[in-house]
Every structure is written in structure tokens, then in C-alpha cells.
Amino acid sequence: MNRIYLSLSQQSGFEIEFVEKALQSNWITSGGPNVDDFELELESYLGEYSFVTALNSGTSAIHLSLILLGVQQGDEIICQSLTFSASANPILYEGATPVFIDSESETWNICPNNLEIAIIDRIKKGKKPKAIIAVHLYGMPYNVDKIHAIADRYEIPIIEDSAEALGSSYKGKKCGAFGEFGVLSFNGNKIITTSSGGVLVSNSKALKQKAIFYATQSKDDAIHYQHSKIGYNYRMSNICAGIGLGQIKILKEKIESRRNNHLFYRELFSTVEEAELFETKNEDYFSNYWLNTILLKSSKAKNDLLQAFERENIETRPIWKPMHMQPIFERYPYYGDKVAEKIFENGLCLPSGSNLTEADKIRIVNVVRTFFN
Ligand SMILES: *Cc1c(COP(=O)(O)O)cnc(C)c1O
């Protein structure tokens, strides 16, 4: 039996055209016509005032957003704890201090109450946080209204980690376009892929030009090689952008398939009392359902179900382990209770790729039915 994976890349068939064009015109380098076109496509997708800089990863985009906000050694950066480590690692690249925040149970994302408690406490301790990294985890938008109202009140910029949320929206506006900076990822397992890649979304042309400047080794305006800032080799390759141009042609279909997977799981778990499918709570939220997740009643039930799937060669995985529980991050401040910890202990990610077949779904149904009977 073939293995069913959590989330695999899926080709449209158009990728080869754009890659071939790059090869034939000898644009085999970072930057180039495919990169420009890919940025334009995303700018029109995300909506007005979205300026997109294509980079070699989502992680690079988070790093550059910190640099563009002027983050320096010793600064404090607030970050959602329940996320993938790539949200938080760039804080350490800059020698800054992460301050982790628990999740709220409605969205699993950064908790507004704990966010405000943390801001007030950090200010009282003498340092106002320089930025907030908020994540739309598994495609579920965070509570944009509440989080941005708090950020505005204390005048702290938001970096919106939308790596998993291309196609998600909140009150009709696309995720990735809310923050001072937005981040998308095109890693192989995300909604669309460029093999490896990401973009930084900003709200001005000047910021986009600055991002390109840093991403291409910070070359000053001179005939010789002159540098007055630390530079990075973060620009997206023209070959990768070609793959992205082919992928974006079926973005709508891909999101539709993911959302159909969600409907499949909703039906499947509607009669299973021991598992709660994670879903949007009201009409304000529109999730791409990048990954479908469930909460079991205990950590043991989660592990047993994971093993049951594994025996049928079906990949499932625990939820991201919160950053404040990670050996590399556990010594940094944390504000919250045990919401993220509980989600981590009892939660499981289910196969959710846009290429999940009907035959795959039957195998998944069989495991679930047998396990809970
Ligand atoms: C994938 C991911 C990233 C990093 O993106 P890369 O393109 O893999 O560097 C950052 N944050 C979250 C939440 C992610 O899932």
C-alpha cells in the first residue's frame, strides 16, 4: 500500500513552460522576469497596497521583516508560542529576545488577553516590545480585529506569519495583507510551492525596494562593490519563480480541494464523540484548511490513533510543539496558561494534501471507524 502523506506538492503541469522559458533565455540566476511576474501575480491576488518581494524562503522573509523594523540586539519581540520554529528563529539571528504568548482556544493563535498582559508587563519591566509575530496556524486566521487593536493601542508593528495561510481571509481580506509585514511560504508542503521560497509582503514600494536591497547583499549605489549594511543572499531564483507561476494557475483549485478535505473530515468526525475537528467558529474566518487537525481526549488517545494510522501506512503528526517548551527557547519569557500545551498534547494533524484521492479517503475512514468502535 502506498503511503498517504500529510501534505504533498501537486503540479499543475504549467510549471515546465515557465522553467523552460527561464532556461532558454538563460535567466538562470536569482531575480529575473519570472520573479517579477510572480510578484505581480501575488500583488494582484493579495489586493491593493500589497507590495511583494520574492525570497528564497519564508524564514528569510521573517528575518528581513525584523531587519526592516530596525530590530537590534537586546530588543524584545513578542511571538506566538504555538507555531513552527521558523517563526521564532530569526529573532535569535538578530540577537533579540523572544517573548512567547499562549494561544486562545477559538483560533489556536495568539491570545489577545495574554498578549496585552505581556505588553503591559514588558513595558513595566523597562522595555517596550519592538514587534509582534502573529501566526495564522494551519490556515486559521488569528483574531485580526482584537490583535491589531492591541498592537495599535501600544503602537507595536505586527509581522504576520501567513506561511500556512495563502488563500485564507478574515472578514473578506486576504491573510498576508494585514500586518506591517506579511510572510508567505512556498515550501514543498505548503499550499503552493516553488520547491523552496517565500515572499515578504509590505505596504509600500519603498519598503519593497529596501527588502530587495538587503536580499541581494546590500550593494550601495556605486560602480564598485560598496557595502554599508550587512547583506543577505535571500532573493528568489528565477527557476523557482517559474515553478511558482505554474503553481499559482491552480491556486483556486488547490484551496478548493483542501476545503473539500475539510468537509470530508467534518462528516467523518461528526459521529465521533472522542475527537473534535478544529474549525472556524464564525463567518469572519475563512480558512484554507492547509492541514486538518483534531483534538483527542488524552495524549494517550492521540498516540494510539497515530500508531493506528501508521500501521496502515498513513502519515499523521502531532501539533507543533510550542516554542516555550523547546530546549532552545524555554529560558525566554512566556505569558499564558496551558492552552497551547493542551493542544500539543492532545492534537493530531491529518492527511490534507490537495491531491488526496477518494481511495485515500476510504483508507482513512477505515482506520477511524475501526479505532473508535
Ligand atoms: C513553513 C513555515 C515557515 C517557514 O517557511 P519556509 O519557507 O519553510 O522557510 C514559517 N512559519 C510557519 C508557521 C511555517 O509553517
Side-chain angles (χ1 to χ4, degrees), residues 57-59 62 83-84 86-87 135 161 163-164 185-187 190 197 320:
S57 76
T59 311
I62 296 174
T83 185
F84 177 48
S87 306
V135 187
D161 183 345
E164 303 175 358
S185 166
F186 311 115
N187 194 11
K190 300 285 164 62
W320 302 121

Side-chain angles (χ1 to χ4, degrees), residues 42-52 173-174 176-179 201-204:
L42 285 164
E43 284 173 357
S44 79
Y45 183 77
L46 290 173
E48 258 188 315
Y49 307 114
S50 295
F51 293 83
V52 167
K173 186 173 168 177
K174 293 272 185 336
F178 286 103
V201 185
S202 65
N203 51 23
S204 79

Side-chain angles (χ1 to χ4, degrees), residues 251-267:
L251 174 57
K252 242 178 97 180
E253 290 84 345
K254 278 168 172 275
I255 292 164
E256 223 168 76
S257 314
R258 300 247 176 196
R259 287 179 53 84
N260 281 335
N261 291 339
H262 181 74
L263 294 180
F264 156 72
Y265 282 117
R266 181 188 284 175
E267 160 109 41

Side-chain angles (χ1 to χ4, degrees), residues 242-253:
I243 299 173
L245 282 170
Q247 289 269 297
I248 210 165
K249 282 193 179 290
I250 58 160
L251 174 57
K252 242 178 97 180
E253 290 84 345

Side-chain angles (χ1 to χ4, degrees), residues 31-45:
N34 280 342
V35 174
D36 297 340
D37 290 348
F38 188 51
E39 289 177 344
L40 284 177
E41 292 267 355
L42 285 164
E43 284 173 357
S44 79
Y45 183 77

